[in-house]
Amino acid sequence: MQALQDVVRTGTTPADLKQAILDNLYYAQGRIPQLATTNDWYMALAFAIRDRMMNDWIRAFARVRRDPVKVVSYLSAEFLIGPQLGNNLLNVHDIRDEVAIAVADLGLNLEDLLNHEPEPGLGNGGLGRLAACYMESLTTLNLAAIGYGIYYEFGLFHQDLQNGWQVEKTDKWLSMGNPWAFCRPEITHYVGTGGHTEQYHDEQGRFRARWTPENVVRGVANDIPVAGYGTSMTNFLRLWSSEAIDSFDFQAFNKGDYYDAVREKVASETISKVLYPNDEPEAGKVLRLHQQYFFTSCSLQDMIRIHKIRGCAIDTFHESFAVQLNDTHPSIAVAELMRLFVDIHGMEWDTAWNITQKALAYTNHTLLPEALEKWPLPLFGKLLPRHLEIIYEINRRFLDGVRAKYPGDNERLARLSLIDEHDQKYVRMANLATVGSHAVNGVAAMHSELLKKTVLHDFYELAPDKFFNITNGVTPRRWLALSNPELSRLISSKIGDEWLCNENNLRQLEPFADDTAFRSQWRQVKQLRKQKLAALINERTGIAVNPATMFDVQVKRLHEYKRQLLNVLYVITLYNRVRHHTSAQITPRTVIFGGKAAPGYFMAKLIIKLINSVSSTIDSDPAVRDRLKVVFIPDFNVKSGQVIYPAADLSEQISTAGKEASGTGNMKFSMNGALTIGTLDGANVEIREQVGAENFFLFGLTADQVVELKRSGYNPRRYYDANPELKEAIDQIGSGSFSSGDQQLFRPIVDSLLDRDEYMLLADYQAYVECQQAVSQAYLDQERWTRMSILNTARIGKFSSDRSIREYARDIWHVEPIALALEPPTILSEPAAR
Ligand code: 26Q
C-alpha cells in the first residue's frame, strides 16, 4: 500500500508530472494556475523534480550512515554548479521529454521555465566549476560524497557593460527562493574566533590547551542534492550559512543598546554573505580567512558527527572520510583537525597527526607566485590564536625532521618552513596543506611536473611519493548532452548513448569523420547552435552577427596571463589587413569574447574597455564589418557557457606557456567540436596529444623557452621595432584610433606591453598571426574542417571528469563504488535509518 502510494507520489508519466506540478503550485507555493507567475511555475516544476530525487537521496545517505563505506569529502570555497533544473531533468531518470509534455499541457513552455532559473554563481571560474563537475561524476560513478562549502547569500557579481566598461551588479540569486536547497536548522556547528589560549593539566594530569574564543557564530547546513546520470545514487552539497548564536545580545539589549546588539547579529551573518570576486588572494582580508575557517570547521565537525553516528571510534576517522582540499582555501583543515582531535577529543599528538595526514589530500591549482595564499602572521594569530600555536608545533616537528635529513641546509629550511620570515612574517598555506596531506596533486600533466620542479620542489625531494597528477576533466552530461542536445543525438544515432557514462566509446565516432553525409549533418548541427548563439548575442548586445562566419571564441576570466590582449592585437591586425586589402582572401570571422574581471583589477577592466572600443570602431566601418566583427558578451557564466561552447568553431587557449595550470574551457570547446588554437600550456598539451597534432593549431614559445627568454633579458621593444604590423596595431591603441583620439585612455596597456610585457605577448605575436592564417586557410575547406571537428569530439573522452574521478578514487582516496542495487526499496512508512 505504502509502496504504491510512493509510486503515485513520484511517478514519471506526463500525467503524474502534471499533477505533481499542480500539487506543488498549490501546496508548496500557495498559488493557483490562473494567478501563477513564471517564477511560481518554475518553482512548482523544480519542487516536483526535487521530490523525485528524495527517495534515492535518502536511501543513499541512510546507507552511508549505517555501513562503513568511505565517503569522499570535497572541501571547496566554491561550487559553481550552474542551473539545476535542466541537469536534473537529464540525470533524474532522463524525464525531460515527459516533463515537456506535462508542461505543454499546462500551457507553458519548458524552455521558458529553464531560462527562468537564476545562475547559482557560487564560484569565480575554473576551480569552482571543477568542483561541480567532480560532484556530478562522483555521483554518476556511485561513489559516496559530500561537497562541503559556503552558502553565499550573494554569489559572483553580474557584469553589466556601460559605455564599454565593466560595471558590477550584486547577485541576489536567492531573492526569489531556491527550490533546490534544504535548509537544515537542526544541523548546526559552532565556530569560534579570536580570544585567548591557556594551558592546563587535565584530570589525568596530562598537559592540555584550552582556547576561549571571543566570538562564536553558528553554521547552519543547506543541502543541495546532486544526481548522478543513469544511477539511483544521489549525493549532496552541504553549504554552510552563518548565523548569530542568539538573535539578540540580551545584555546589550537590556542596557538599551539595541543597535549594538543587532550589530553583533549582522557581523555574524556577514561571514557567509558574499563570495570574494577575486580569483587570486588579496593580502590582509580577515573576513576571507574567517570564511575559510568557518566552512572548514563546520565541515570537519560535521564529519566527526557522522563518524560517531556510525558508531565508530574517533581514531578511525580516516577510514570514514577522504577529505580533498580544493586548493589552499580550506587548508586550515590541517590545524583544525589537529585541534579537534587533540584539544577536544583528547587524542595524543602523534596519533592525531597520523590520522590527519591519512585523511587529507591537497589539489594545487596554480604556479603563479602571487596566487599562492599566505596570511600575515599577526592577522592570523588574532583570528585563530590556537591554530597558530598548532601550526608552530607542526612546523617545529616537521623542520626537526628536515634538519636531520639535511643538516646545516638553512636555506632549504627557510623555504620549507610553514612560516615565511623574509621581512614580514606570513603563514604559507600551500606548505601547510602539503605537510598535512598524504597526497598532493596538480591538475594537468605539465602543471604537475612544474609543481615538482618549482613551487613544491623541496617538498617533492622530501617525499616524492606524495606527488600525483590528476588531469582535470569536465562532465559530458552538462557540457555535451545538456548543452548540445542536437549533437548528442547525432552522436548517439551512430554509436548509441553509452558514451554518456563511458567516455572511451566516443572513439567509435572516428570512422564517421570520413562519412560525407555524417559530416554534412555535423555541420548542420553546428550551424544551428551558431544561430542560437547569434540570437543570444543580439539579445545581450544588440549586435547582429552572421552565423555563416567563423565563430572565433575566447571566454574565460579576464587575466593578463590568459592574453585576451594578444587576441585583440590579432583582431586589429586583421582589421588593418582588410582595410588595406593586403590579404586577397580573408575568411570572415566573428571574434567573440566573454569573461569577468576582478572588480579591483584595473588592467583587466581596461582590456574589456579596449575590446568594446575595437568592436565599435570596426562596426562603424562599412568596408570591414561584413568580414570582421568583434563582440563582447556580458556576464559570461555557466548558463551562457552552455550556449557559447557548442557554437564555437575556434577555441582560443593562448595563455603564456607555464601559466595556466590546466584550463577546462579548452575541454568543453573541443568536446563540442571546436578546433583549438593554443599554446603548449596546461591541459592543451594533453588535448593536442589526444586529438592529434594535425587537428590542433599550435603556436608560441614553450614554457622552457619562456623561462630562458626571461633569464636572458626579454626586451619587448625589439619585437615592436622589427614588426610593422605589430607596431601599427600598438600605435593605433596608443594614438586614440579606438578612443576617439584620446591618447591617454589605453596608455597603460601600451606602456605595459612596451616596457615589461610580463606575459610575452610580443614574443608570441608573429607566431600567433601565422597560426591564425593557417586557421583561416583550413576553414575555407569545410570538408577538412568538419573532419577535424569530428575527430576532436571523438578523441576528447580522456577529459571526462569521470576519468579524473576514477583516478582520484584509485590513487588518492582509495574508495570503491557502493552497490545500491542491493538495497531494498525505501517506502514512505519506513522512517529513514537514524
Ligand atoms: C584566494 C584567497 C582569497 C580570495 C580569493 C582566492 C581565490 C579564489 C579563487 C584564489 C583562486 C581562485 C580560483 C582559481 C582558479 O579558478 N584556478 C583555475 O583552476 C582551474 C581548475 O583546476 C584550472 O583549470 C585553471 O587553470 C586555474 O587557473
Side-chain angles (χ1 to χ4, degrees):
M1 178 59 201
Q2 286 294 341
L4 188 65
Q5 197 180 50
D6 189 37
V7 170
V8 174
R9 180 71 179 75
T10 58
T12 53
T13 68
D16 293 336
L17 287 159
K18 182 181 167 190
Q19 189 58 49
I21 294 166
L22 287 168
D23 282 353
N24 274 293
L25 186 72
Y26 191 76
Y27 291 107
Q29 297 280 100
R31 292 283 187 187
I32 54 170
Q34 291 78 356
L35 298 179
T37 62
T38 305
N39 189 60
D40 296 330
W41 284 116
Y42 160 75
M43 295 286 280
L45 172 57
F47 282 132
I49 300 308
R50 194 185 74 172
D51 289 345
R52 280 147 186 79
M53 303 172 77
M54 293 312 296
N55 270 341
D56 287 345
W57 181 11
I58 288 169
R59 199 148 59 108
F61 199 58
R63 170 75 191 274
V64 163
R65 287 167 70 135
R66 197 187 61 216
D67 296 346
V69 287
K70 193 172 186 184
V71 178
V72 174
S73 176
Y74 200 87
L75 260 64
S76 179
E78 309 190 1
F79 286 94
L80 193 45
I81 56 180
Q84 296 295 285
L85 179 57
N87 197 248
N88 287 335
L89 292 179
L90 175 68
N91 280 16
V92 182
H93 316 302
D94 208 346
I95 51 173
R96 187 182 175 126
D97 291 347
E98 290 79 358
V99 167
I101 296 170
V103 163
D105 228 29
L106 292 164
L108 302 159
N109 179 314
L110 180 55
E111 283 298 319
D112 293 344
L113 297 183
L114 287 164
N115 281 331
H116 182 79
E117 182 170 347
E119 163 117 355
L122 307 185
N124 271 286
L127 166 145
R129 182 55 232 176
L130 187 78
C133 283
Y134 280 3
M135 284 305 297
E136 198 267 358
S137 278
L138 276 158
T139 315
T140 297
L141 294 172
N142 290 326
L143 297 165
I146 305 176
Y148 281 111
I150 302 177
Y151 199 59
Y152 298 105
E153 185 178 338
F154 303 117
L156 187 62
F157 65 86
H158 288 282
Q159 178 190 56
D160 261 12
L161 291 178
Q162 279 174 20
N163 189 26
W165 293 97
Q166 168 175 301
V167 174
E168 298 90 20
K169 292 274 159 67
T170 320
D171 166 49
K172 300 181 186 134
W173 73 292
L174 292 172
S175 66
M176 301 294 267
N178 177 10
W180 304 107
F182 286 82
C183 181
R184 305 235 184 249
E186 77 284 14
I187 300 180
T188 61
H189 299 285
Y190 294 87
V191 180
T193 48
H196 65 275
T197 65
E198 60 204 310
Q199 293 170 338
Y200 69 103
H201 290 274
D202 66 12
E203 304 86 70
Q204 285 106 53
R206 290 191 314 166
F207 197 57
R208 304 278 295 267
R210 183 188 294 128
W211 173 29
T212 312
E214 188 187 340
N215 294 299
V216 180
V217 299
R218 177 169 47 222
V220 182
N222 298 271
D223 291 353
I224 299 177
V226 178
Y229 178 82
T231 167
S232 60
M233 184 63 185
T234 303
N235 284 308
F236 61 99
L237 301 181
R238 177 156 285 173
L239 307 180
W240 304 102
S241 51
S242 62
E243 278 186 356
I245 289 182
D246 293 303
S247 52
F248 292 100
D249 175 338
F250 283 101
Q251 251 186 346
F253 188 52
N254 290 337
K255 275 188 286 175
D257 215 345
Y258 180 76
Y259 276 96
D260 270 359
V262 177
R263 199 170 42 218
E264 276 284 321
K265 178 172 159 60
V266 170
S268 301
E269 287 172 356
T270 302
I271 311 304
S272 59
K273 187 66 74 180
V274 56
L275 167 74
Y276 274 87
N278 306 331
D279 48 5
E280 251 174 37
E282 218 183 318
K285 292 276 184 263
V286 67
L287 180 63
R288 167 74 189 191
L289 182 60
H290 199 161
Q291 282 186 339
Q292 297 182 350
Y293 176 58
F294 165 72
F295 95 88
T296 303
S297 176
C298 286
S299 308
L300 290 170
Q301 292 183 57
D302 200 53
M303 289 174 236
I304 292 174
R305 181 185 66 88
I306 294 170
H307 183 66
K308 284 183 165 171
I309 288 174
R310 291 169 140 194
C312 300
I314 187 89
D315 60 2
T316 59
F317 178 83
H318 60 288
E319 293 168 18
S320 267
F321 289 98
V323 183
Q324 192 66 34
L325 308 177
N326 198 21
D327 214 301
T328 50
H329 315 156
S331 59
I332 189 65
V334 176
E336 174 67 356
L337 199 50
M338 286 301 287
R339 185 186 74 84
L340 293 169
F341 285 158
V342 175
D343 292 359
I344 308 295
H345 294 276
M347 206 184 274
E348 292 298 332
W349 181 281
D350 289 323
T351 314
W353 184 242
N354 184 25
I355 299 169
T356 296
Q357 279 190 321
K358 280 185 174 153
L360 302 183
Y362 157 55
T363 305
N364 171 289
H365 296 264
T366 188
L367 300 163
L368 303 182
E370 66 272 23
L372 290 176
E373 252 191 310
K374 52 179 193 175
W375 292 99
L377 201 109
L379 177 154
F380 194 100
K382 195 152 184 264
L383 192 76
L384 302 169
R386 178 61 188 141
H387 296 78
L388 187 56
E389 290 173 359
I390 291 171
I391 287 170
Y392 270 123
E393 182 60 16
I394 295 171
N395 203 31
R396 189 185 66 76
R397 290 167 180 247
F398 169 61
L399 293 182
D400 276 351
V402 177
R403 255 182 231 108
K405 195 162 175 191
Y406 302 98
D409 193 345
N410 288 332
E411 281 180 14
R412 183 187 298 262
L413 225 54
R415 291 193 304 267
L416 284 164
S417 174
L418 306 188
I419 311 293
D420 179 348
E421 313 202 35
H422 276 99
D423 33 37
Q424 266 195 55
K425 287 191 180 183
Y426 293 94
V427 183
R428 294 165 163 163
M429 302 312 269
N431 294 26
L432 177 64
T434 302
V435 170
S437 297
H438 71 278
V440 176
N441 76 283
V443 289
M446 179 190 183
H447 169 65
S448 298
E449 286 309 307
L450 287 172
L451 258 188
K452 294 190 284 187
K453 260 199 226 156
T454 61
V455 275
L456 297 181
H457 178 69
D458 294 305
F459 291 95
Y460 174 64
E461 285 197 336
L462 270 184
D465 295 343
K466 241 193 208 189
F467 285 78
F468 295 83
N469 170 249
I470 313 273
T471 299
N472 282 168
V474 302
T475 168
R477 271 76 63 184
R478 183 179 289 269
W479 295 112
L480 185 48
L482 179 61
S483 308
N484 202 344
E486 298 84 3
L487 197 69
S488 302
R489 272 196 291 275
L490 179 59
I491 294 168
S492 297
S493 75
K494 295 296 182 195
I495 65 169
D497 61 7
E498 282 270 292
W499 59 268
L500 273 148
C501 344
N502 189 350
E503 64 278 3
N504 295 323
N505 279 21
L506 283 172
R507 286 260 171 190
Q508 297 168 10
L509 267 185
E510 275 191 35
F512 295 98
D514 294 323
D515 178 331
T516 317
F518 186 75
R519 285 201 303 271
S520 158
Q521 290 175 301
W522 193 266
R523 272 195 301 277
Q524 275 171 28
V525 170
K526 182 62 82 182
Q527 207 52 38
L528 183 86
R529 298 315 310 187
K530 287 168 78 173
Q531 282 161 10
K532 295 213 188 250
L533 178 56
L536 178 92
I537 290 172
N538 195 247
E539 180 195 312
R540 297 279 180 89
T541 67
I543 299 176
V545 300
N546 179 359
T549 59
M550 181 205 297
F551 278 14
D552 170 352
V553 189
Q554 187 171 22
V555 286
K556 48 181 82 240
R557 286 297 290 258
L558 257 290
H559 246 289
E560 284 163 286
Y561 83 79
K562 295 177 189 281
R563 301 202 293 193
Q564 282 94 350
L565 197 47
L566 178 59
N567 191 345
V568 175
L569 288 175
Y570 172 67
V571 168
I572 297 174
T573 304
L574 210 51
Y575 172 55
N576 292 332
R577 285 186 181 183
V578 178
R579 282 191 308 153
H580 304 155
H581 304 287
T582 51
S583 180
Q585 197 173 30
I586 113 132
T587 304
R589 288 192 193 220
T590 301
V591 184
I592 297 164
F593 291 89
K596 295 177 188 179
Y601 191 167
F602 168 75
M603 200 55 109
K605 288 179 134 177
L606 194 58
I607 293 170
I608 292 178
K609 173 64 178 168
L610 176 63
I611 294 169
N612 284 307
S613 302
V614 170
S615 168
S616 345
T617 305
I618 293 178
D619 214 37
S620 56
D621 189 336
V624 179
R625 65 182 170 212
D626 293 335
R627 283 176 290 173
L628 178 63
K629 261 207 171 30
V630 178
V631 292
F632 188 96
I633 304 178
D635 206 36
F636 174 62
N637 57 14
V638 174
K639 206 174 176 181
S640 58
Q642 288 177 200
V643 184
I644 295 168
Y645 294 117
D649 293 306
L650 185 66
S651 154
E652 299 271 352
Q653 307 300 335
I654 60 177
S655 52
T656 315
K659 304 292 180 195
E660 189 70 273
S662 162
T664 43
N666 46 5
M667 302 166 186
K668 296 165 196 165
F669 277 113
S670 177
M671 196 172 270
N672 282 280
L675 305 192
T676 305
I677 181 166
T679 49
L680 282 179
D681 200 17
N684 294 354
V685 178
E686 291 158 85
I687 292 176
R688 179 166 170 270
E689 263 167 33
Q690 291 292 308
V691 305
E694 66 286 6
N695 301 307
F696 186 108
F697 296 96
L698 177 72
F699 76 95
L701 298 173
T702 63
D704 285 343
Q705 289 168 335
V706 165
V707 171
E708 175 51 27
L709 184 54
K710 196 142 276 179
R711 195 199 57 76
S712 66
Y714 173 56
N715 178 8
R717 272 186 203 270
R718 206 168 62 75
Y719 297 86
Y720 168 83
D721 290 331
N723 191 323
E725 282 193 296
L726 173 61
K727 183 171 188 306
E728 184 183 12
I730 294 179
D731 288 349
Q732 283 168 300
I733 296 173
S735 66
S737 298
F738 307 108
S739 45
S740 322
D742 183 342
Q743 306 197 342
Q744 293 312 306
L745 183 61
F746 297 124
R747 181 60 38 198
I749 290 181
V750 172
D751 288 348
S752 145
L753 285 179
L754 295 181
D755 296 345
R756 294 174 300 276
D757 193 17
E758 176 73 32
Y759 298 104
M760 298 190 164
L761 284 70
L762 273 50
D764 272 346
Y765 168 83
Q766 188 56 32
Y768 182 53
V769 171
E770 283 166 20
C771 193
Q772 286 285 21
Q773 202 54 43
V775 170
S776 289
Q777 203 57 42
Y779 195 74
L780 293 175
D781 182 350
Q782 279 290 299
E783 293 298 342
R784 175 177 161 222
W785 185 277
T786 312
R787 186 174 289 116
M788 294 164 79
S789 166
I790 296 168
L791 290 177
N792 263 262
T793 305
R795 296 173 177 175
I796 206 67
K798 172 176 174 186
F799 305 96
S800 162
S801 41
D802 294 352
R803 189 270 312 149
S804 314
I805 290 299
R806 278 190 218 103
E807 292 180 2
Y808 277 100
R810 185 193 63 204
D811 299 341
I812 296 183
W813 301 329
H814 310 292
V815 294
E816 303 267 355
I818 65 177
L820 280 164
L822 302 175
E823 290 289 293
T826 313
I827 55 175
L828 289 177
S829 61
E830 179 188 303
R834 291 242 162 227

